[in-house]
Amino acid sequence: MGIDGAGQSGRFTRGGSSQLPRRTSSSHLPPRYPGQTRHKRQPEHQGKLVLLFFILIIGSCTIIIQHRLFLPIDSKTSDPHLHRKHLRAEQQDLQEQFTSHKLSALDSSYTQSAIHNATAKLQATVKDIKRQQGKEQQISQIAANNDIQLVDASSVPDPPVTQNPTQAPSPNLFSLDQLNINNSAGAFHFQHKLDPTEDFSATGLDKKRRLVKEAAAHSWKAYEEHAWGMDELQPITQDGKESLGGIGATIVDSPDTLWLMGLKDDFSRAREWVSTSLKCNSSRRISLFETNIRVVGGLIGAFELTEDHMFLDKAVECVNLMLPVFQTSWTGIPNNQVTLKSTGKKPRLHGSLVSLAEYGSFGVEFYALSQRTGNASYAEAAETIYRWLNERFPGQGLLPTRLNRNRGTFTNMKTYTMGAMADSYYEYLLKMWLLKGQKDDMYRSMWESSMDEMMTKLMNVSVGGLLYIGLIQQNTMFMPRLEHLTCYLPGNLALGVVYGAVNGSKADHYMAVAKNLTYSCWQMYERMPVVQLDMLA
């Protein structure tokens, strides 16, 4: 608002500009005596501007302090220049997400909820960091009280190996030829020996099976007591968590395992819950990816073992609610965050950026459901995605993790990994080839290309001789880090060799990589400090 000389307020016109009243006549000003000089009045808003300036400075300092305090633990020790680049990349991806929301006309809820969703994610991230810091402080305190020495796994030396160690990983891309590994006759040989005292006799294997069964029964009992009907059990706090939209993910994902282990009473209670309580048309937001691999996959697995059609009927019910989401983009790629409430309208969609694992992990479940029901629409929805990728990016093995499904393009700052946000896509390529009777070579070829590129761009050997699969961030920066989720690869590689997806010297090479990577994954856990859970209760 405009302020006149006498402090009166002006009015805003309809067009938005302010119309200031005329200055009050001089007769209303204080008298001016001979020789007196009238002092200039300080504008009333000048003090407000000064105050606002100081508030902005204080606020900026507060934000900087909070940012430094709540950085993830591993970020504090990293290069600040790289951290700034990472933040810029996140900012650019977020801006691209906002832009896609504004440009998309497929669903009005995109524009309405974009900023709200992003703010909620940022707040959740800060809470997670605080919670993680609290857990670490709690573990450290318990360790101190019980005279337990916590050891950082990265500080434990690697075991001796029979060959010379290689140099530390280069931050640039590299090829296998640059690695000093035993590569005679084109085969990368297994360089670690198993414990000769390990008992692999029939008696020894029976003992191992019994221990695995006891561990599963213990976990299931804890879930029943503390989190029944909820998505996940939180073992430390001993309560449940609805992390996947309240779909009872643990119950639906477990019947096939309970059946295989002979835990028939536990299986019966799980079956009863699925039959009476599983509802996929929830008004809550769910992950389409998690619902598929846990709920649909769990139901089909249970049906396959028991031939109980209740499980198959439930799978059909859930997938029928999911199918319309695949029809909301010209790419055939669905949103991941959706609300599947059955109201006769389209499902509510949230966001347009999806990860490679999220949109690339429908083939096995949907194709299997088509086989068992005779309804080809399920397989067609999933296979459209793989064929679109193959046509859009021909011959490209490794794919970036994040894609805008409406534009059909990857984000500018690309990450290449075999772990989180990508893992099951590569796993499903091989399994789709097997599921289709090894007749659709598109899947085998895509899998082989991705494994070859993984070995030339992401595979390296640590200074101590441990083979690992790293990742590439920000388009070109190699990160020497082995993720837990990458440890599906040894089984995937071995499966491809056993069923003839690759042959000859390449098959030998794949199998040797699988063996060495299995050893590295075991070492990742073998060297991890252990804290008894009852100490945290």
Side-chain angles (χ1 to χ4, degrees):
M1 280 187 299
I3 304 296
D4 67 9
Q8 297 179 358
S9 298
R11 293 186 299 275
F12 284 102
T13 64
R14 184 176 297 273
S17 61
S18 59
Q19 182 179 2
L20 300 177
R22 296 179 180 178
R23 179 177 293 277
T24 309
S25 64
S26 59
S27 61
H28 290 86
L29 297 175
R32 191 171 185 180
Y33 298 100
Q36 179 185 10
T37 302
R38 187 192 307 159
H39 296 283
K40 294 183 179 180
R41 296 184 61 189
Q42 295 293 332
E44 293 184 15
H45 61 277
Q46 182 171 336
K48 296 180 181 178
L49 289 175
V50 174
L51 178 61
L52 179 61
F53 175 73
F54 281 107
I55 291 174
L56 289 174
I57 292 178
I58 295 172
S60 300
C61 293
T62 303
I63 292 174
I64 293 172
I65 293 172
Q66 289 179 340
H67 175 71
R68 294 305 302 167
L69 285 176
F70 299 124
L71 274 176
I73 295 174
D74 59 347
S75 298
K76 290 183 179 180
T77 58
S78 62
D79 187 339
H81 297 289
L82 296 179
H83 183 62
R84 279 198 295 271
K85 289 177 65 178
H86 180 65
L87 290 177
R88 291 194 194 102
E90 288 186 349
Q91 183 183 30
Q92 189 172 5
D93 285 349
L94 187 58
Q95 183 61 46
E96 184 171 340
Q97 184 176 3
F98 286 160
T99 303
S100 68
H101 285 316
K102 294 174 182 178
L103 294 178
S104 174
L106 292 175
D107 194 295
S108 61
S109 63
Y110 286 175
T111 306
Q112 297 171 0
S113 63
I115 297 178
H116 172 76
N117 292 342
T119 303
K121 288 181 181 179
L122 291 174
Q123 292 173 345
T125 300
V126 172
K127 289 182 180 178
D128 287 343
I129 293 171
K130 290 181 179 178
R131 189 181 301 112
Q132 180 65 27
Q133 290 175 337
K135 288 181 181 178
E136 291 177 353
Q137 292 174 357
Q138 184 184 17
I139 292 174
S140 299
Q141 185 62 45
I142 292 171
N145 294 341
N146 293 274
D147 196 24
I148 299 174
Q149 183 178 5
L150 297 179
V151 181
D152 183 0
S154 63
S155 66
V156 179
D158 292 334
V161 293
T162 57
Q163 62 179 67
N164 296 327
T166 64
Q167 297 298 318
S170 166
N172 301 318
L173 300 184
F174 50 83
S175 67
L176 281 176
D177 294 336
Q178 296 173 271
L179 300 179
N180 181 22
I181 58 180
N182 187 355
N183 200 26
S184 60
F188 176 42
H189 295 288
F190 185 50
Q191 53 189 352
H192 303 287
K193 294 183 178 180
L194 296 175
D195 184 355
T197 64
E198 190 77 16
D199 186 3
F200 288 103
S201 65
T203 303
L205 292 176
D206 285 342
K207 180 181 178 180
K208 294 177 188 296
R209 294 188 187 101
R210 178 175 54 80
L211 292 173
V212 170
K213 182 176 178 179
E214 289 176 356
H218 170 78
S219 299
W220 179 257
K221 180 181 178 181
Y223 172 76
E224 279 196 287
E225 290 180 359
H226 303 292
W228 183 252
M230 304 186 77
D231 289 333
E232 293 180 306
L233 167 69
Q234 299 186 115
I236 295 178
T237 57
Q238 296 184 4
D239 56 11
K241 182 180 181 181
E242 299 286 35
S243 54
L244 302 174
I247 55 178
T250 296
I251 298 180
V252 190
D253 204 10
S254 300
D256 53 352
T257 301
L258 297 173
W259 181 273
L260 283 171
M261 290 189 170
L263 301 173
K264 298 302 173 62
D265 292 339
D266 297 320
F267 169 85
S268 297
R269 290 191 294 274
R271 183 203 180 281
E272 180 64 20
W273 189 94
V274 172
S275 175
T276 59
S277 302
L278 175 61
K279 306 293 181 185
C280 285
N281 61 338
S282 171
S283 59
R284 294 183 180 183
R285 181 187 300 191
I286 64 168
S287 164
L288 210 66
F289 162 70
E290 296 286 358
T291 302
N292 179 59
I293 65 172
R294 294 172 182 263
V295 175
V296 179
L299 292 170
I300 295 175
F303 169 73
E304 197 70 14
L305 291 172
T306 66
E307 298 184 351
D308 184 341
H309 277 267
M310 184 277 295
F311 292 111
L312 186 64
D313 293 341
K314 284 287 185 179
V316 169
E317 176 185 322
C318 292
V319 174
N320 283 343
L321 291 170
M322 298 164 65
L323 274 184
V325 187
F326 289 77
Q327 302 167 3
T328 56
S329 171
W330 65 275
T331 60
I333 293 175
N335 280 71
N336 182 51
Q337 294 295 320
V338 300
T339 304
L340 294 178
K341 187 172 183 179
S342 180
T343 60
K345 300 179 181 179
K346 291 192 307 181
R348 288 189 59 192
L349 312 176
H350 310 277
S352 58
L353 289 181
V354 287
S355 74
L356 183 58
E358 288 170 347
Y359 67 81
S361 304
F362 291 96
V364 171
E365 292 81 3
F366 279 37
Y367 191 85
L369 192 60
S370 287
Q371 284 182 320
R372 284 147 185 80
T373 63
N375 186 342
S377 62
Y378 308 133
E380 290 172 359
E383 291 200 89
T384 295
I385 298 172
Y386 298 111
R387 300 197 184 283
W388 180 84
L389 289 171
N390 188 50
E391 294 171 3
R392 181 86 168 180
F393 310 102
Q396 182 173 344
L398 295 180
L399 296 177
T401 56
R402 302 181 72 191
L403 177 132
N404 186 307
R405 75 183 198 99
N406 293 331
R407 298 180 182 177
T409 57
F410 296 109
T411 55
N412 291 330
M413 298 304 292
K414 297 175 179 60
T415 296
Y416 299 88
T417 177
M418 307 301 289
M421 300 180 69
D423 47 1
S424 49
Y425 163 74
Y426 299 108
E427 176 190 354
Y428 276 36
L429 291 177
L430 177 64
K431 291 182 177 180
M432 282 297 292
W433 177 67
L434 294 172
L435 195 59
K436 300 187 74 174
Q438 306 178 22
K439 296 178 180 178
D440 192 338
D441 198 62
M442 178 193 75
Y443 291 104
R444 190 209 60 80
S445 178
M446 292 172 70
W447 177 78
E448 182 182 5
S449 295
S450 62
M451 294 300 109
D452 286 347
E453 287 190 21
M454 173 197 74
M455 294 179 191
T456 57
K457 296 180 179 178
L458 301 182
M459 190 172 78
N460 208 340
V461 179
S462 72
V463 173
L466 291 177
L467 184 80
Y468 68 93
I469 306 298
L471 65 153
I472 295 173
Q473 290 182 336
Q474 300 178 25
N475 299 329
T476 59
M477 185 171 63
F478 178 76
M479 304 296 291
R481 184 173 72 222
L482 176 63
E483 296 182 11
H484 156 77
L485 288 177
T486 308
C487 289
Y488 73 94
L489 272 169
N492 194 245
L493 288 166
L495 188 66
V497 171
V498 169
Y499 281 92
V502 290
N503 297 287
S505 61
K506 177 174 282 192
D508 295 337
H509 185 76
Y510 274 34
M511 188 60 81
V513 169
K515 291 179 179 179
N516 281 274
L517 189 56
T518 299
Y519 182 85
S520 298
C521 288
W522 170 52
Q523 285 297 306
M524 182 165 58
Y525 287 94
E526 177 71 10
R527 304 180 188 191
M528 185 179 298
V530 177
V531 176
Q532 294 288 341
L533 286 180
D534 55 4
M535 296 179 182
L536 303 176

